[in-house]
């Protein structure tokens, strides 16, 4: 019984560590997005002003067209860094886990110890034979 408690505690610590790593990775992704937004926002502002000036000077509205795709990128990055994109993605992922489980299945099913051992033996034969 004492050993089971030890194993359970070890498993809990591993799960806590994995969750901590996941949280740190998510924080880095959000921080990267916010940093990218600063640089891209500056680029977008300069490009929008330059393209608007060019459209007015040349009297050609075609200069406005690059602003459209650039504004989509800017909006996406803002939504990722400061908006509600991550909670919406989490909600969608939870929905997929609940209602579309079949799309998450691995080819040939779940990995088993036997399949790993078989692959290991075949790989060791490959290296021994060469």
């Amino acid at each position: 019984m004492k050993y089971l408690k030890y194993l359970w505690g070890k498993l809990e610590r591993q799960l806590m560590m994995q969750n901590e790593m996941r949280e740190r990775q998510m924080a880095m992704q959000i921080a990267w997005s916010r940093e990218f937004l600063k640089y891209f926002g500056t680029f977008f502002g300069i490009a929008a002003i330059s393209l608007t000036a060019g459209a007015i000077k040349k009297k050609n509205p075609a200069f406005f067209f690059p602003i459209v795709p650039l504004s989509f990128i800017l909006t996406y990055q803002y939504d990722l860094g400061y908006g509600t994109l991550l909670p919406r993605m989490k909600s969608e992922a939870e929905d997929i886990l609940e209602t579309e489980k079949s799309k998450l299945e691995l080819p040939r099913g779940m990995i088993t110890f036997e399949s790993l051992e078989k692959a290991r033996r075949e790989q060791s034969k490959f290296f021994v034979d060469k």
Side-chain angles (χ1 to χ4, degrees), residues 21-51:
M21 291 301 295
R22 182 193 61 79
E23 287 176 351
R24 289 180 184 196
Q25 288 172 342
M26 291 297 293
M28 283 298 294
Q29 181 182 2
I30 293 168
W32 181 90
S33 179
R34 289 178 179 178
E35 192 64 25
F36 179 81
L37 183 63
K38 293 174 190 172
Y39 289 96
F40 189 78
T42 303
F43 166 75
F44 179 81
I46 292 169
I49 291 169
S50 301
L51 291 169

PDB file of all heavy atoms in Angstrom, residues 21-51:
ATOM      1  N   MET A  21       5.189  22.816 -17.699  1.00  0.00           N
ATOM      2  CA  MET A  21       5.879  23.007 -18.976  1.00  0.00           C
ATOM      3  C   MET A  21       4.911  23.480 -20.055  1.00  0.00           C
ATOM      4  O   MET A  21       5.251  24.360 -20.850  1.00  0.00           O
ATOM      5  CB  MET A  21       6.566  21.707 -19.418  1.00  0.00           C
ATOM      6  CG  MET A  21       7.737  21.312 -18.547  1.00  0.00           C
ATOM      7  SD  MET A  21       9.030  22.562 -18.485  1.00  0.00           S
ATOM      8  CE  MET A  21       9.580  22.556 -20.166  1.00  0.00           C
ATOM      9  N   ARG A  22       3.713  22.917 -20.081  1.00  0.00           N
ATOM     10  CA  ARG A  22       2.709  23.345 -21.063  1.00  0.00           C
ATOM     11  C   ARG A  22       2.361  24.807 -20.850  1.00  0.00           C
ATOM     12  O   ARG A  22       2.282  25.591 -21.799  1.00  0.00           O
ATOM     13  CB  ARG A  22       1.452  22.474 -20.929  1.00  0.00           C
ATOM     14  CG  ARG A  22       0.362  22.807 -21.945  1.00  0.00           C
ATOM     15  CD  ARG A  22      -0.951  22.159 -21.564  1.00  0.00           C
ATOM     16  NE  ARG A  22      -1.450  22.602 -20.274  1.00  0.00           N
ATOM     17  CZ  ARG A  22      -2.087  23.762 -20.068  1.00  0.00           C
ATOM     18  NH1 ARG A  22      -2.278  24.596 -21.058  1.00  0.00           N
ATOM     19  NH2 ARG A  22      -2.530  24.081 -18.871  1.00  0.00           N
ATOM     20  N   GLU A  23       2.167  25.216 -19.585  1.00  0.00           N
ATOM     21  CA  GLU A  23       1.838  26.605 -19.282  1.00  0.00           C
ATOM     22  C   GLU A  23       2.968  27.540 -19.694  1.00  0.00           C
ATOM     23  O   GLU A  23       2.724  28.619 -20.236  1.00  0.00           O
ATOM     24  CB  GLU A  23       1.525  26.769 -17.796  1.00  0.00           C
ATOM     25  CG  GLU A  23       0.195  26.189 -17.387  1.00  0.00           C
ATOM     26  CD  GLU A  23      -0.058  26.275 -15.894  1.00  0.00           C
ATOM     27  OE1 GLU A  23       0.871  26.626 -15.137  1.00  0.00           O
ATOM     28  OE2 GLU A  23      -1.204  25.985 -15.482  1.00  0.00           O
ATOM     29  N   ARG A  24       4.197  27.131 -19.468  1.00  0.00           N
ATOM     30  CA  ARG A  24       5.336  27.963 -19.863  1.00  0.00           C
ATOM     31  C   ARG A  24       5.419  28.096 -21.375  1.00  0.00           C
ATOM     32  O   ARG A  24       5.718  29.171 -21.904  1.00  0.00           O
ATOM     33  CB  ARG A  24       6.633  27.379 -19.314  1.00  0.00           C
ATOM     34  CG  ARG A  24       6.756  27.542 -17.816  1.00  0.00           C
ATOM     35  CD  ARG A  24       8.041  26.959 -17.294  1.00  0.00           C
ATOM     36  NE  ARG A  24       8.083  27.042 -15.838  1.00  0.00           N
ATOM     37  CZ  ARG A  24       9.174  26.907 -15.142  1.00  0.00           C
ATOM     38  NH1 ARG A  24      10.330  26.680 -15.742  1.00  0.00           N
ATOM     39  NH2 ARG A  24       9.143  26.996 -13.830  1.00  0.00           N
ATOM     40  N   GLN A  25       5.159  27.013 -22.094  1.00  0.00           N
ATOM     41  CA  GLN A  25       5.183  27.069 -23.559  1.00  0.00           C
ATOM     42  C   GLN A  25       4.079  27.986 -24.085  1.00  0.00           C
ATOM     43  O   GLN A  25       4.299  28.765 -25.020  1.00  0.00           O
ATOM     44  CB  GLN A  25       5.043  25.667 -24.145  1.00  0.00           C
ATOM     45  CG  GLN A  25       6.274  24.822 -23.956  1.00  0.00           C
ATOM     46  CD  GLN A  25       6.057  23.374 -24.355  1.00  0.00           C
ATOM     47  OE1 GLN A  25       4.933  22.893 -24.473  1.00  0.00           O
ATOM     48  NE2 GLN A  25       7.151  22.660 -24.561  1.00  0.00           N
ATOM     49  N   MET A  26       2.898  27.892 -23.485  1.00  0.00           N
ATOM     50  CA  MET A  26       1.805  28.775 -23.897  1.00  0.00           C
ATOM     51  C   MET A  26       2.154  30.231 -23.606  1.00  0.00           C
ATOM     52  O   MET A  26       1.876  31.120 -24.420  1.00  0.00           O
ATOM     53  CB  MET A  26       0.504  28.389 -23.193  1.00  0.00           C
ATOM     54  CG  MET A  26      -0.083  27.071 -23.637  1.00  0.00           C
ATOM     55  SD  MET A  26      -0.562  27.059 -25.372  1.00  0.00           S
ATOM     56  CE  MET A  26      -1.902  28.226 -25.355  1.00  0.00           C
ATOM     57  N   ALA A  27       2.745  30.498 -22.446  1.00  0.00           N
ATOM     58  CA  ALA A  27       3.147  31.868 -22.103  1.00  0.00           C
ATOM     59  C   ALA A  27       4.176  32.388 -23.102  1.00  0.00           C
ATOM     60  O   ALA A  27       4.111  33.559 -23.508  1.00  0.00           O
ATOM     61  CB  ALA A  27       3.694  31.908 -20.681  1.00  0.00           C
ATOM     62  N   MET A  28       5.104  31.542 -23.509  1.00  0.00           N
ATOM     63  CA  MET A  28       6.098  31.951 -24.506  1.00  0.00           C
ATOM     64  C   MET A  28       5.434  32.244 -25.850  1.00  0.00           C
ATOM     65  O   MET A  28       5.812  33.197 -26.537  1.00  0.00           O
ATOM     66  CB  MET A  28       7.170  30.869 -24.677  1.00  0.00           C
ATOM     67  CG  MET A  28       8.182  30.834 -23.565  1.00  0.00           C
ATOM     68  SD  MET A  28       9.143  32.342 -23.417  1.00  0.00           S
ATOM     69  CE  MET A  28      10.060  32.311 -24.946  1.00  0.00           C
ATOM     70  N   GLN A  29       4.450  31.448 -26.220  1.00  0.00           N
ATOM     71  CA  GLN A  29       3.748  31.687 -27.485  1.00  0.00           C
ATOM     72  C   GLN A  29       3.014  33.018 -27.443  1.00  0.00           C
ATOM     73  O   GLN A  29       3.056  33.789 -28.404  1.00  0.00           O
ATOM     74  CB  GLN A  29       2.767  30.555 -27.767  1.00  0.00           C
ATOM     75  CG  GLN A  29       2.026  30.739 -29.070  1.00  0.00           C
ATOM     76  CD  GLN A  29       1.010  29.639 -29.342  1.00  0.00           C
ATOM     77  OE1 GLN A  29       0.813  28.734 -28.543  1.00  0.00           O
ATOM     78  NE2 GLN A  29       0.349  29.730 -30.484  1.00  0.00           N
ATOM     79  N   ILE A  30       2.341  33.304 -26.349  1.00  0.00           N
ATOM     80  CA  ILE A  30       1.618  34.570 -26.221  1.00  0.00           C
ATOM     81  C   ILE A  30       2.608  35.736 -26.221  1.00  0.00           C
ATOM     82  O   ILE A  30       2.388  36.755 -26.886  1.00  0.00           O
ATOM     83  CB  ILE A  30       0.749  34.570 -24.952  1.00  0.00           C
ATOM     84  CG1 ILE A  30      -0.375  33.533 -25.085  1.00  0.00           C
ATOM     85  CG2 ILE A  30       0.158  35.954 -24.690  1.00  0.00           C
ATOM     86  CD1 ILE A  30      -1.099  33.244 -23.784  1.00  0.00           C
ATOM     87  N   ALA A  31       3.714  35.588 -25.480  1.00  0.00           N
ATOM     88  CA  ALA A  31       4.728  36.647 -25.434  1.00  0.00           C
ATOM     89  C   ALA A  31       5.328  36.883 -26.824  1.00  0.00           C
ATOM     90  O   ALA A  31       5.535  38.029 -27.233  1.00  0.00           O
ATOM     91  CB  ALA A  31       5.822  36.280 -24.434  1.00  0.00           C
ATOM     92  N   TRP A  32       5.599  35.784 -27.558  1.00  0.00           N
ATOM     93  CA  TRP A  32       6.137  35.928 -28.914  1.00  0.00           C
ATOM     94  C   TRP A  32       5.147  36.680 -29.797  1.00  0.00           C
ATOM     95  O   TRP A  32       5.530  37.551 -30.567  1.00  0.00           O
ATOM     96  CB  TRP A  32       6.424  34.543 -29.511  1.00  0.00           C
ATOM     97  CG  TRP A  32       6.996  34.628 -30.890  1.00  0.00           C
ATOM     98  CD1 TRP A  32       8.306  34.696 -31.227  1.00  0.00           C
ATOM     99  CD2 TRP A  32       6.260  34.691 -32.127  1.00  0.00           C
ATOM    100  NE1 TRP A  32       8.436  34.779 -32.599  1.00  0.00           N
ATOM    101  CE2 TRP A  32       7.198  34.789 -33.170  1.00  0.00           C
ATOM    102  CE3 TRP A  32       4.902  34.677 -32.456  1.00  0.00           C
ATOM    103  CZ2 TRP A  32       6.821  34.867 -34.510  1.00  0.00           C
ATOM    104  CZ3 TRP A  32       4.529  34.756 -33.787  1.00  0.00           C
ATOM    105  CH2 TRP A  32       5.484  34.846 -34.799  1.00  0.00           C
ATOM    106  N   SER A  33       3.878  36.336 -29.677  1.00  0.00           N
ATOM    107  CA  SER A  33       2.859  36.979 -30.487  1.00  0.00           C
ATOM    108  C   SER A  33       2.773  38.473 -30.178  1.00  0.00           C
ATOM    109  O   SER A  33       2.646  39.306 -31.080  1.00  0.00           O
ATOM    110  CB  SER A  33       1.496  36.315 -30.254  1.00  0.00           C
ATOM    111  OG  SER A  33       0.514  36.943 -31.015  1.00  0.00           O
ATOM    112  N   ARG A  34       2.853  38.816 -28.904  1.00  0.00           N
ATOM    113  CA  ARG A  34       2.801  40.231 -28.521  1.00  0.00           C
ATOM    114  C   ARG A  34       4.022  40.985 -29.043  1.00  0.00           C
ATOM    115  O   ARG A  34       3.911  42.127 -29.489  1.00  0.00           O
ATOM    116  CB  ARG A  34       2.695  40.357 -27.006  1.00  0.00           C
ATOM    117  CG  ARG A  34       1.339  39.927 -26.496  1.00  0.00           C
ATOM    118  CD  ARG A  34       1.247  40.010 -24.992  1.00  0.00           C
ATOM    119  NE  ARG A  34      -0.093  39.611 -24.548  1.00  0.00           N
ATOM    120  CZ  ARG A  34      -0.465  39.555 -23.294  1.00  0.00           C
ATOM    121  NH1 ARG A  34       0.392  39.866 -22.327  1.00  0.00           N
ATOM    122  NH2 ARG A  34      -1.692  39.191 -22.979  1.00  0.00           N
ATOM    123  N   GLU A  35       5.179  40.351 -28.972  1.00  0.00           N
ATOM    124  CA  GLU A  35       6.396  40.996 -29.473  1.00  0.00           C
ATOM    125  C   GLU A  35       6.321  41.158 -30.989  1.00  0.00           C
ATOM    126  O   GLU A  35       6.663  42.208 -31.526  1.00  0.00           O
ATOM    127  CB  GLU A  35       7.612  40.152 -29.076  1.00  0.00           C
ATOM    128  CG  GLU A  35       8.930  40.837 -29.266  1.00  0.00           C
ATOM    129  CD  GLU A  35       9.129  42.068 -28.409  1.00  0.00           C
ATOM    130  OE1 GLU A  35       8.500  42.195 -27.339  1.00  0.00           O
ATOM    131  OE2 GLU A  35       9.929  42.937 -28.822  1.00  0.00           O
ATOM    132  N   PHE A  36       5.875  40.121 -31.692  1.00  0.00           N
ATOM    133  CA  PHE A  36       5.718  40.194 -33.142  1.00  0.00           C
ATOM    134  C   PHE A  36       4.738  41.292 -33.512  1.00  0.00           C
ATOM    135  O   PHE A  36       4.938  42.017 -34.494  1.00  0.00           O
ATOM    136  CB  PHE A  36       5.234  38.838 -33.686  1.00  0.00           C
ATOM    137  CG  PHE A  36       5.016  38.834 -35.163  1.00  0.00           C
ATOM    138  CD1 PHE A  36       6.084  38.682 -36.029  1.00  0.00           C
ATOM    139  CD2 PHE A  36       3.748  38.988 -35.701  1.00  0.00           C
ATOM    140  CE1 PHE A  36       5.897  38.683 -37.402  1.00  0.00           C
ATOM    141  CE2 PHE A  36       3.543  38.990 -37.071  1.00  0.00           C
ATOM    142  CZ  PHE A  36       4.623  38.831 -37.932  1.00  0.00           C
ATOM    143  N   LEU A  37       3.675  41.429 -32.724  1.00  0.00           N
ATOM    144  CA  LEU A  37       2.661  42.443 -32.994  1.00  0.00           C
ATOM    145  C   LEU A  37       3.264  43.846 -32.963  1.00  0.00           C
ATOM    146  O   LEU A  37       2.900  44.700 -33.780  1.00  0.00           O
ATOM    147  CB  LEU A  37       1.517  42.328 -31.976  1.00  0.00           C
ATOM    148  CG  LEU A  37       0.344  43.282 -32.170  1.00  0.00           C
ATOM    149  CD1 LEU A  37      -0.348  43.019 -33.499  1.00  0.00           C
ATOM    150  CD2 LEU A  37      -0.635  43.124 -31.027  1.00  0.00           C
ATOM    151  N   LYS A  38       4.183  44.092 -32.057  1.00  0.00           N
ATOM    152  CA  LYS A  38       4.835  45.411 -31.990  1.00  0.00           C
ATOM    153  C   LYS A  38       5.559  45.730 -33.293  1.00  0.00           C
ATOM    154  O   LYS A  38       5.402  46.812 -33.858  1.00  0.00           O
ATOM    155  CB  LYS A  38       5.819  45.465 -30.822  1.00  0.00           C
ATOM    156  CG  LYS A  38       5.175  45.408 -29.470  1.00  0.00           C
ATOM    157  CD  LYS A  38       6.224  45.311 -28.378  1.00  0.00           C
ATOM    158  CE  LYS A  38       5.579  44.998 -27.045  1.00  0.00           C
ATOM    159  NZ  LYS A  38       6.591  44.723 -26.006  1.00  0.00           N
ATOM    160  N   TYR A  39       6.351  44.785 -33.764  1.00  0.00           N
ATOM    161  CA  TYR A  39       7.105  45.012 -34.994  1.00  0.00           C
ATOM    162  C   TYR A  39       6.189  45.058 -36.216  1.00  0.00           C
ATOM    163  O   TYR A  39       6.333  45.911 -37.077  1.00  0.00           O
ATOM    164  CB  TYR A  39       8.169  43.922 -35.175  1.00  0.00           C
ATOM    165  CG  TYR A  39       9.301  44.047 -34.200  1.00  0.00           C
ATOM    166  CD1 TYR A  39       9.319  43.308 -33.025  1.00  0.00           C
ATOM    167  CD2 TYR A  39      10.362  44.918 -34.444  1.00  0.00           C
ATOM    168  CE1 TYR A  39      10.358  43.429 -32.124  1.00  0.00           C
ATOM    169  CE2 TYR A  39      11.401  45.053 -33.540  1.00  0.00           C
ATOM    170  CZ  TYR A  39      11.397  44.299 -32.377  1.00  0.00           C
ATOM    171  OH  TYR A  39      12.416  44.423 -31.490  1.00  0.00           O
ATOM    172  N   PHE A  40       5.262  44.114 -36.285  1.00  0.00           N
ATOM    173  CA  PHE A  40       4.375  44.085 -37.446  1.00  0.00           C
ATOM    174  C   PHE A  40       3.445  45.286 -37.449  1.00  0.00           C
ATOM    175  O   PHE A  40       3.123  45.816 -38.512  1.00  0.00           O
ATOM    176  CB  PHE A  40       3.563  42.786 -37.487  1.00  0.00           C
ATOM    177  CG  PHE A  40       2.812  42.632 -38.770  1.00  0.00           C
ATOM    178  CD1 PHE A  40       3.455  42.223 -39.913  1.00  0.00           C
ATOM    179  CD2 PHE A  40       1.458  42.938 -38.839  1.00  0.00           C
ATOM    180  CE1 PHE A  40       2.776  42.104 -41.108  1.00  0.00           C
ATOM    181  CE2 PHE A  40       0.770  42.821 -40.035  1.00  0.00           C
ATOM    182  CZ  PHE A  40       1.431  42.405 -41.180  1.00  0.00           C
ATOM    183  N   GLY A  41       2.998  45.722 -36.260  1.00  0.00           N
ATOM    184  CA  GLY A  41       2.151  46.917 -36.179  1.00  0.00           C
ATOM    185  C   GLY A  41       2.865  48.145 -36.708  1.00  0.00           C
ATOM    186  O   GLY A  41       2.285  48.966 -37.419  1.00  0.00           O
ATOM    187  N   THR A  42       4.142  48.262 -36.381  1.00  0.00           N
ATOM    188  CA  THR A  42       4.942  49.374 -36.898  1.00  0.00           C
ATOM    189  C   THR A  42       5.060  49.284 -38.414  1.00  0.00           C
ATOM    190  O   THR A  42       4.858  50.283 -39.125  1.00  0.00           O
ATOM    191  CB  THR A  42       6.342  49.359 -36.255  1.00  0.00           C
ATOM    192  OG1 THR A  42       6.191  49.420 -34.836  1.00  0.00           O
ATOM    193  CG2 THR A  42       7.187  50.509 -36.737  1.00  0.00           C
ATOM    194  N   PHE A  43       5.383  48.091 -38.906  1.00  0.00           N
ATOM    195  CA  PHE A  43       5.467  47.892 -40.354  1.00  0.00           C
ATOM    196  C   PHE A  43       4.140  48.216 -41.031  1.00  0.00           C
ATOM    197  O   PHE A  43       4.098  48.895 -42.055  1.00  0.00           O
ATOM    198  CB  PHE A  43       5.880  46.447 -40.659  1.00  0.00           C
ATOM    199  CG  PHE A  43       5.679  46.058 -42.093  1.00  0.00           C
ATOM    200  CD1 PHE A  43       6.540  46.506 -43.077  1.00  0.00           C
ATOM    201  CD2 PHE A  43       4.614  45.244 -42.466  1.00  0.00           C
ATOM    202  CE1 PHE A  43       6.350  46.155 -44.402  1.00  0.00           C
ATOM    203  CE2 PHE A  43       4.415  44.897 -43.784  1.00  0.00           C
ATOM    204  CZ  PHE A  43       5.284  45.347 -44.754  1.00  0.00           C
ATOM    205  N   PHE A  44       3.042  47.740 -40.437  1.00  0.00           N
ATOM    206  CA  PHE A  44       1.723  47.968 -41.021  1.00  0.00           C
ATOM    207  C   PHE A  44       1.408  49.463 -41.075  1.00  0.00           C
ATOM    208  O   PHE A  44       0.894  49.960 -42.078  1.00  0.00           O
ATOM    209  CB  PHE A  44       0.646  47.231 -40.217  1.00  0.00           C
ATOM    210  CG  PHE A  44      -0.740  47.444 -40.753  1.00  0.00           C
ATOM    211  CD1 PHE A  44      -1.194  46.722 -41.832  1.00  0.00           C
ATOM    212  CD2 PHE A  44      -1.594  48.379 -40.177  1.00  0.00           C
ATOM    213  CE1 PHE A  44      -2.475  46.908 -42.332  1.00  0.00           C
ATOM    214  CE2 PHE A  44      -2.866  48.573 -40.670  1.00  0.00           C
ATOM    215  CZ  PHE A  44      -3.309  47.842 -41.752  1.00  0.00           C
ATOM    216  N   GLY A  45       1.705  50.168 -39.990  1.00  0.00           N
ATOM    217  CA  GLY A  45       1.442  51.610 -39.963  1.00  0.00           C
ATOM    218  C   GLY A  45       2.211  52.355 -41.040  1.00  0.00           C
ATOM    219  O   GLY A  45       1.652  53.197 -41.757  1.00  0.00           O
ATOM    220  N   ILE A  46       3.500  52.045 -41.161  1.00  0.00           N
ATOM    221  CA  ILE A  46       4.318  52.699 -42.189  1.00  0.00           C
ATOM    222  C   ILE A  46       3.829  52.337 -43.580  1.00  0.00           C
ATOM    223  O   ILE A  46       3.714  53.197 -44.463  1.00  0.00           O
ATOM    224  CB  ILE A  46       5.804  52.319 -42.007  1.00  0.00           C
ATOM    225  CG1 ILE A  46       6.344  52.931 -40.709  1.00  0.00           C
ATOM    226  CG2 ILE A  46       6.645  52.760 -43.203  1.00  0.00           C
ATOM    227  CD1 ILE A  46       7.709  52.416 -40.296  1.00  0.00           C
ATOM    228  N   ALA A  47       3.508  51.066 -43.787  1.00  0.00           N
ATOM    229  CA  ALA A  47       3.018  50.621 -45.099  1.00  0.00           C
ATOM    230  C   ALA A  47       1.683  51.275 -45.436  1.00  0.00           C
ATOM    231  O   ALA A  47       1.470  51.714 -46.573  1.00  0.00           O
ATOM    232  CB  ALA A  47       2.888  49.101 -45.125  1.00  0.00           C
ATOM    233  N   ALA A  48       0.780  51.354 -44.461  1.00  0.00           N
ATOM    234  CA  ALA A  48      -0.536  51.955 -44.718  1.00  0.00           C
ATOM    235  C   ALA A  48      -0.398  53.434 -45.080  1.00  0.00           C
ATOM    236  O   ALA A  48      -1.050  53.914 -46.027  1.00  0.00           O
ATOM    237  CB  ALA A  48      -1.431  51.788 -43.494  1.00  0.00           C
ATOM    238  N   ILE A  49       0.448  54.140 -44.359  1.00  0.00           N
ATOM    239  CA  ILE A  49       0.656  55.569 -44.667  1.00  0.00           C
ATOM    240  C   ILE A  49       1.298  55.733 -46.035  1.00  0.00           C
ATOM    241  O   ILE A  49       0.851  56.563 -46.851  1.00  0.00           O
ATOM    242  CB  ILE A  49       1.524  56.228 -43.570  1.00  0.00           C
ATOM    243  CG1 ILE A  49       0.723  56.306 -42.264  1.00  0.00           C
ATOM    244  CG2 ILE A  49       1.995  57.614 -43.999  1.00  0.00           C
ATOM    245  CD1 ILE A  49       1.538  56.690 -41.053  1.00  0.00           C
ATOM    246  N   SER A  50       2.313  54.932 -46.327  1.00  0.00           N
ATOM    247  CA  SER A  50       3.001  55.021 -47.623  1.00  0.00           C
ATOM    248  C   SER A  50       2.074  54.654 -48.781  1.00  0.00           C
ATOM    249  O   SER A  50       2.065  55.338 -49.813  1.00  0.00           O
ATOM    250  CB  SER A  50       4.218  54.094 -47.639  1.00  0.00           C
ATOM    251  OG  SER A  50       5.105  54.430 -46.608  1.00  0.00           O
ATOM    252  N   LEU A  51       1.318  53.585 -48.614  1.00  0.00           N
ATOM    253  CA  LEU A  51       0.411  53.168 -49.686  1.00  0.00           C
ATOM    254  C   LEU A  51      -0.716  54.173 -49.892  1.00  0.00           C
ATOM    255  O   LEU A  51      -1.132  54.422 -51.031  1.00  0.00           O
ATOM    256  CB  LEU A  51      -0.150  51.778 -49.388  1.00  0.00           C
ATOM    257  CG  LEU A  51       0.869  50.641 -49.475  1.00  0.00           C
ATOM    258  CD1 LEU A  51       0.276  49.356 -48.911  1.00  0.00           C
ATOM    259  CD2 LEU A  51       1.334  50.439 -50.899  1.00  0.00           C
TER     260      LEU A  51
END
